[in-house]
Amino acid sequence: MGISGERRRTVWRLVVVVWALAVAVAGGLTLWMQDSTEPRGPYVRERTDPGEAQDLPPCPTPEACAYAITP
């Protein structure tokens, strides 16, 4: 039974090592794929004054625009 127990322990160690390696590779691939979908830099922040009116294009008809001011 001593040899059987040694073999079982070795198999379990191998299973754990393979599992840990698979988790590490999958995590690395996930991070790599996630970063590849992000836009390239440089990232720039724009300052806007909340009091400034935005330049919106004119509406063809008042019913066609959601932002049209009606009295």
Side-chain angles (χ1 to χ4, degrees):
M1 280 234 172
I3 295 174
S4 176
E6 288 281 331
R7 180 170 285 227
R8 190 176 312 150
R9 193 174 309 142
T10 303
V11 169
W12 273 110
R13 281 185 190 158
L14 182 63
V15 168
V16 168
V17 167
V18 168
W19 177 81
L21 185 62
V23 167
V25 168
L29 282 174
T30 300
L31 290 175
W32 176 68
M33 289 174 66
Q34 182 180 8
D35 288 342
S36 67
T37 61
E38 296 292 323
R40 299 282 171 151
Y43 302 104
V44 179
R45 293 184 182 226
E46 294 182 14
R47 256 187 183 202
T48 58
D49 184 13
E52 290 180 6
Q54 296 179 354
D55 294 330
L56 298 174
C59 291
T61 62
E63 295 86 21
C65 294
Y67 57 86
I69 299 173
T70 56

